[in-house]
Amino acid sequence: MNITDIIKMRKSVRSFSGTPLNAQQIALINQAIADSKSPFGGDYIIKLASVEAELSFKPSTYGVITNAKDFLLMGVGDTEHSALSAGYAMEQVVLKATEMGLGTCWIAATFKKSIFERVAAFPDATPLKIISPIGESAQKRSFMEKFTRFAVGANNRKPFDKLFFAGNFTTSLSPDNQFGQPLEMMRLAPSSTNSQPWRALVVDNRVDFYYKSRGMVSVLDMGIGLCHFNLAAQAVGLNGKFAPISDPIEAPDKWVYLTSFTLQ
Ligand SMILES: Cc1cc2nc3c(=O)[nH]c(=O)nc-3n(C[C@H](O)[C@H](O)[C@H](O)COP(=O)(O)O)c2cc1C
């Protein structure tokens, strides 16, 4: 399966079958964790653990997770680079899980940490901040899952021409642009409450990335989107490097400049 098929196939899963991961699946996910990397530095740790959560586990943010036995647990440092890397690296594991036919659902912020901290210790510098159930999906989505998807408009994505621009922020980017496919893959990425903070300006061989900020979680979302972007770029032979430029142009609507991707 190629990366664009995997990205298109991924959807958050909140209802699980209750079957724990088998030894082979555990080995493959642990390998994906070991292989995951980020160009953005910072501090983060990803662990896989089986957790005796209640049948129905309600994060204090939103949504309800049913019948999950295994979880990805992520410790994240307090800096912007840590949040960016956390999104970027963990999404590689999420996409590997998707390829293996396993369901996942990112959950950030203030969930009931104690049951998760009991199974895995996290250093003070990288406290547990993100979890995702991981496992075989249930045959049917629970009522609460359907309700959550409806409430956050999980199937809706902002149109391409409202997110990505060419040369200036009044000209929409053509999907036929060389960066069209990688940006389309960014557009399909998961984000907290489906907020889709990503914006981009293409200038010749460079893409300048901006985001609509709702705080640190938007930086984490950007890490996820940039992971999709770079994997899809590599798949079509667009090899580049991420680094901020010194003179980004001002964007509308208080969009915050983050970094740029320049073809090498
Ligand atoms: C950083 C992050 C945090 C999230 N937190 C939650 C959460 O607390 N509860 C939940 O049910 N879903 C959570 N989600 C899942 C999003 O709601 C979901 O990705 C979005 O609605 C798009 O749906 P999709 O993933 O099926 O494409 C989170 C996603 C991200 C990326």
Side-chain angles (χ1 to χ4, degrees):
M1 214 186 304
N2 67 39
I3 189 65
T4 52
D5 290 339
I6 297 169
I7 287 173
K8 286 179 189 161
M9 205 169 80
R10 187 215 56 82
K11 292 250 179 310
S12 293
V13 171
R14 298 177 181 81
S15 319
F16 291 84
S17 71
T19 308
L21 295 182
N22 62 37
Q24 193 195 4
Q25 290 167 326
I26 290 172
L28 285 170
I29 292 298
N30 277 325
Q31 189 57 51
I33 293 172
D35 291 344
S36 67
K37 46 185 180 292
S38 162
F40 302 112
D43 299 310
Y44 62 93
I45 302 177
I46 310 173
K47 297 182 185 185
L48 173 66
S50 74
V51 179
E52 278 298 323
E54 299 132 46
L55 177 66
S56 235
F57 152 72
K58 201 169 170 355
S60 61
T61 39
Y62 62 97
V64 173
I65 306 296
T66 317
N67 238 344
K69 301 290 178 209
D70 297 281
F71 287 80
L72 292 164
L73 309 175
M74 187 157 200
V76 189
D78 261 340
T79 64
E80 190 174 87
H81 282 118
S82 303
L84 194 57
S85 282
Y88 195 92
M90 173 121 133
E91 186 64 3
Q92 291 160 43
V93 182
V94 163
L95 292 174
K96 177 66 189 177
T98 308
E99 187 180 14
M100 289 164 63
L102 299 172
T104 55
C105 182
W106 281 85
I107 295 171
T110 49
F111 48 88
K112 260 199 242 166
K113 282 202 221 170
S114 52
I115 50 171
F116 298 99
E117 280 170 341
R118 225 178 285 147
V119 295
F122 283 83
D124 289 348
T126 48
L128 177 62
K129 286 201 186 145
I130 296 163
I131 61 166
S132 167
I134 176 167
E136 186 184 87
S137 315
Q139 300 265 331
K140 276 191 177 167
R141 284 182 179 144
S142 68
F143 169 76
M144 278 311 291
E145 172 155 28
K146 287 186 196 154
F147 176 78
T148 305
R149 292 195 67 83
F150 171 75
V152 298
N155 291 331
N156 305 332
R157 289 294 189 273
K158 295 183 198 302
F160 187 96
D161 62 356
K162 297 276 184 291
L163 299 176
F164 307 131
F165 301 87
N168 58 62
F169 282 105
T170 48
T171 311
S172 296
L173 183 75
S174 160
D176 297 333
N177 180 276
Q178 61 176 340
F179 294 113
Q181 173 81 340
L183 288 170
E184 171 63 8
M185 293 304 113
M186 172 177 239
R187 195 179 74 90
L188 300 182
S191 57
S192 176
T193 59
N194 201 22
S195 54
Q196 308 163 61
W198 29 78
R199 306 289 185 269
L201 181 70
V202 172
V203 184
D204 303 326
N205 279 341
R206 198 183 75 223
V207 188
D208 299 336
F209 289 99
Y210 293 74
Y211 64 102
K212 195 174 162 88
S213 181
R214 291 163 56 245
M216 204 59 117
V217 74
S218 304
V219 178
L220 206 143
D221 290 337
M222 283 304 288
I224 300 173
L226 290 174
C227 165
H228 282 207
F229 171 87
N230 197 29
L231 289 173
Q234 283 171 356
V236 292
L238 293 174
N239 293 309
K241 280 222 158 63
F242 289 106
I245 56 167
S246 56
D247 53 350
I249 70 167
E250 201 169 312
D253 208 13
K254 296 196 185 141
W255 299 344
V256 183
Y257 173 73
L258 184 69
T259 192
S260 295
F261 177 89
T262 307
L263 287 184
Q264 301 294 298

